[in-house]
Every structure is written in C-alpha cells, then in structure tokens.
Amino acid sequence: QVQLVESGGGLVQAGGSLRLSCTASGRTFSNYAMGWFRQAPGKEREFVAAISYRGRNIYYADAVKGRFTISRDNAKNTVYLQMNSLKSEDTAVYYCAADFYGLGSNDVAVYDYWGQGTQVTVSS
C-alpha cells in the first residue's frame, strides 16, 4: 500500500501561483511514476501532469503547458506541482496518484493509488 497526502491548495487570485505537494509513505517512492489530476464540479477527473519513476519523462495537459511544472524529490518522497499564471478554469480538486514502475501516463485507469485531494480555487 502507498498512502498519498496532498497539501498546498487554497484560494488565489487569477494570475497568482500555488505549489502543491504530495507526500508518499508505505512503499519505495522512487519505484512509482506520479501523476496530478484534477476534477471540477460536475466534470470528469482530468489529467494535469505526470512524471516517470526516474523523473526522465514528463508530460503535461495542453491546458497547463507552460504554466505548470511537475517535479519530484525522491529523498523526500514528494512530488510537486508548481502552478503559475492561474486562471479561474484551473479551479478544481487536485489529486496526486502513483503508478508502480510507470513511465508517466494521462490515463486515470493505470494509477494504483490516489490521494484524497486538495482544493484549488482561483478567483477572477
């Protein structure tokens, strides 16, 4: 089992920045690809960003490319999502997820473990 805990969400004005963190426990963090997803009210969960277990492969959704940056610190068992130039449409609950020996994927179905989510609200 892997336990994932997200933090760093909150209320921010449009154009502002937030950094989300997701800390893992329970298994060897460096063996897992990590992904960030988000879900807005009334919408399906959607892919935001992913990083492979070695950190060599990184992927972004088109909607966040150039504004968001995913990174990982295996020594701290943590993956980050730096979010800049936030827009109202970025408002959602953000979830991190872990995929054993994954190379990074935008597919919700491949991830084995999920956190509880952290709310991000961007006011316009």
Side-chain angles (χ1 to χ4, degrees), residues 1 3 7-8 14 27 33 38 40 49 52 57 65 67 71 102-103 106 109:
Q1 287 284 347
Q3 292 78 42
S7 61
R27 293 284 177 88
R38 66 187 182 187
S52 61
N57 301 318
K65 202 170 293 183
R67 300 188 297 122
S71 61
L103 296 179
N106 61 0

Side-chain angles (χ1 to χ4, degrees), residues 10-11 15 17 22 31 35 45 48-49 58 63 72 81 87 91 100-101 112 116 124:
L11 174 65
S17 299
C22 171
N31 289 343
R45 194 167 297 189
V48 175
I58 290 177
R72 65 188 299 158
L81 186 68
K87 305 176 182 179
T91 295
F100 186 62
Y101 276 128
D112 305 299
Q116 293 300 306
S124 57

